[in-house]
Amino acid sequence: MDASQNLPELVAAAQVTAKASTDRIAEILDHLGERSGSDAQMEDLRAATVALEAVVVDTYTLFEARMQHHFKRGPFSRKLKALLLDNEQADLADRVHQHYLAINVLKHGIGASHRALLATPNCLFVVKKAVDVITDEAQTPTGLVDVSVAGFFDGLTATILEAYEFLENR
């Protein structure tokens, strides 16, 4: 990704990359149907999911890096949430915050962000309890936050672009 591209262009490039992973996940799941997959199929599914998780984390990280200049110092997502709430953008603030927590869970696993998502009454994502995730990752197609659910990446990019527009036009 070229440093001279603006955030919407970078998000569009990430959407193309994510589509390849989501298409591969859908293809594998369609082929499996209701039956259990072979070890090789489950490994392919896990690999496609991990690739999608990487695009999700990279996209949000890029958003934070490109928009950090709107704030002097400190935790970008917390400052953005506070600014959105101060400007009566509670829905966008909630979406940004939940995506921030999901990214932290994808990056760090079980911890405060995972507990916060589990406690969120209207969570936007499929979040699994630690006991629901099989310890043998080769047999577990998704992690603690299921990024393979239809609409996850689209929701992330829509939130990022809406927050971008808010920050750039204030």
Side-chain angles (χ1 to χ4, degrees):
M1 293 185 188
D2 189 340
S4 66
Q5 290 177 297
N6 64 31
L7 186 66
E9 291 170 336
L10 294 168
V11 168
Q15 287 171 317
V16 171
T17 303
K19 184 166 178 7
S21 292
T22 56
D23 288 351
R24 180 69 182 133
I25 291 166
E27 177 184 317
I28 294 166
L29 291 175
D30 285 346
H31 181 72
L32 290 176
E34 295 295 319
R35 58 190 170 169
S36 298
S38 68
D39 286 347
Q41 289 170 319
M42 294 308 291
E43 187 176 318
D44 286 348
L45 183 57
R46 181 68 186 141
T49 303
V50 167
L52 182 57
E53 288 173 347
V55 174
V56 166
V57 170
D58 288 350
T59 302
Y60 195 85
T61 302
L62 182 79
F63 165 61
E64 285 183 321
R66 289 293 175 105
M67 296 291 100
Q68 182 66 50
H69 71 275
H70 289 280
F71 304 101
K72 290 184 181 188
R73 277 186 229 141
F76 170 79
S77 292
R78 289 182 189 158
K79 289 189 173 209
L80 176 57
K81 178 183 174 187
L83 179 64
L84 290 166
L85 289 172
D86 288 346
N87 284 273
E88 300 178 4
Q89 299 287 322
D91 178 62
L92 181 56
D94 182 55
R95 288 184 285 133
V96 166
H97 183 67
Q98 284 193 45
H99 281 97
Y100 162 75
L101 293 173
I103 299 309
N104 276 349
V105 171
L106 291 170
K107 288 169 44 177
H108 306 294
I110 298 168
S113 295
H114 183 246
R115 289 187 298 275
L117 280 176
L118 288 172
T120 301
N122 296 312
C123 190
L124 302 170
F125 323 112
V126 175
V127 181
K128 297 179 185 176
K129 294 179 183 173
V131 295
D132 295 337
V133 177
I134 301 170
T135 56
D136 181 5
E137 289 221 359
Q139 295 300 317
T140 307
T142 63
L144 294 169
V145 175
D146 188 354
V147 300
S148 66
V149 172
F152 181 94
F153 194 77
D154 291 339
L156 171 68
T157 56
T159 298
I160 286 172
L161 292 173
E162 192 174 339
Y164 165 81
E165 289 297 326
F166 171 81
L167 288 171
E168 292 296 302
N169 294 317
R170 70 179 183 103

